[in-house]
Amino acid sequence: EAQGRTGRPVRWRITREDLLVLLDDFLHADNAHRAANRATPVQVEMPFGLDGADPLAIDIPDGRTLQFRGKADRLDRADDGTVFVTDYKTGKGKEYDKIDRGDPVKAGTTLQLGIYAEAARQLADADVVEAHYWQVNQAVEHRRNGYRWTDDRRARLIDVLTVIADGIEGGEFAKDPGEWNSWMGTHETCKFCEFDAVCDRDRGEHATEKVHHLVHRPGLVWCDPADTDIADTGDEAEAEQTENAR
């Protein structure tokens, strides 16, 4: 505030009041979550590969080992030993909705929960792990989106990581501008890129043409509706599965 980074005083007073209400609501939601799961916070900003901590190491079937570094926002441990890994999100979080159903890595675009779950399993000595995005946002009532880390979900993560590693080693850096956003006048992935104005305007069409010519099993990166565990039925579920497949 003293540096002027909070903007004009009147606007900041309103924003500050809203922020304090949000934080107060979050504390109530946090109390309810811990009580329901009989969980206690045990670590925040859990490092792996940073601050002297061992990196996360994931072996892939061909003998290679992939190492990761980062920090998980928070770890809680329940009375039964279950470890809850939480990553806070403060945006609208549409991309995290229903992540607990269907493809756990959403076609390779949301690897974070899997990486954090593996880090908790390896570095926090956890046999049972649940990983969640926690949306700290009044609009979604502090919703938690995530899942229990299972062998099937781990296998899916490893499949996608293998494809990514193969692509990097093979020099394949296929761009993915995402779907066209008519409101923003650009592609989803490019909305906030400072180079958007100078990038090829036909990049979406080019990406579509190239995607079927990649050498390294591109199908593994995208979710096959037949492999999902979505329990919904009807047209809405079918549309959702089609979107996942794309």
Side-chain angles (χ1 to χ4, degrees):
E1 184 175 4
Q3 296 173 357
R5 298 176 62 184
T6 55
R8 295 184 179 276
V10 173
R11 175 68 179 273
W12 168 235
R13 283 200 296 269
I14 297 173
T15 302
R16 185 176 184 274
E17 290 176 3
D18 290 342
L19 180 60
L20 290 174
V21 170
L22 175 67
L23 293 174
D24 194 50
D25 287 346
F26 168 75
L27 290 177
H28 286 293
D30 185 42
N31 286 339
H33 164 70
R34 289 186 291 106
N37 293 282
R38 300 184 62 84
T40 303
V42 294
Q43 192 170 4
V44 295
E45 295 293 330
M46 182 193 77
F48 48 96
L50 297 170
D51 301 337
D54 292 334
L56 168 64
I58 298 180
D59 296 328
I60 57 179
D62 60 11
R64 288 175 293 176
T65 298
L66 307 180
Q67 294 188 339
F68 300 85
R69 64 180 182 181
K71 290 184 178 181
D73 284 348
R74 169 176 165 181
L75 265 68
D76 294 33
R77 191 181 296 271
D79 288 351
D80 63 2
T82 300
V83 168
F84 295 88
V85 185
T86 299
D87 184 65
Y88 299 122
K89 299 295 183 187
T90 56
K92 293 182 179 179
K94 290 172 55 180
E95 64 269 36
Y96 308 119
D97 288 346
K98 298 182 180 179
I99 195 171
D100 56 328
R101 294 182 291 172
D103 185 9
V105 296
K106 295 196 77 170
T109 60
T110 53
L111 301 176
Q112 194 173 20
L113 286 189
I115 298 297
Y116 285 1
E118 277 294 293
R121 189 179 67 85
Q122 292 186 23
L123 305 178
D125 192 26
D127 293 327
V128 180
V129 178
E130 292 201 13
H132 294 88
Y133 294 117
W134 194 335
Q135 294 175 240
V136 185
N137 186 331
Q138 287 174 324
V140 294
E141 299 180 349
H142 304 285
R143 185 163 58 225
R144 294 173 65 90
N145 292 315
Y147 40 67
R148 177 161 292 200
W149 194 232
T150 63
D151 290 341
D152 287 345
R153 291 184 171 118
R154 185 175 188 273
R156 169 65 175 161
L157 173 69
I158 291 176
D159 280 345
V160 170
L161 291 178
T162 301
V163 173
I164 294 172
D166 287 345
I168 292 173
E169 290 193 350
E172 296 173 2
F173 298 95
K175 56 189 175 183
D176 178 17
E179 297 292 327
W180 178 258
N181 185 315
S182 58
W183 173 259
M184 299 291 290
T186 188
H187 295 270
E188 281 292 330
T189 309
C190 310
K191 288 187 297 187
F192 305 109
C193 177
E194 59 188 6
F195 298 104
D196 178 53
V198 298
C199 194
D200 182 2
R201 303 307 294 178
D202 295 327
R203 55 190 180 272
E205 290 79 358
H206 293 167
T208 300
E209 293 171 359
K210 292 178 179 179
V211 75
H212 300 294
H213 299 285
L214 297 180
V215 174
H216 295 292
R217 300 173 297 155
L220 276 177
V221 179
W222 293 320
C223 176
D224 181 350
D227 294 335
T228 66
D229 58 359
I230 295 176
D232 299 36
T233 59
D235 294 341
E236 183 177 347
E238 182 178 350
E240 181 181 348
Q241 291 183 352
T242 301
E243 180 64 23
N244 284 340
R246 184 163 63 214

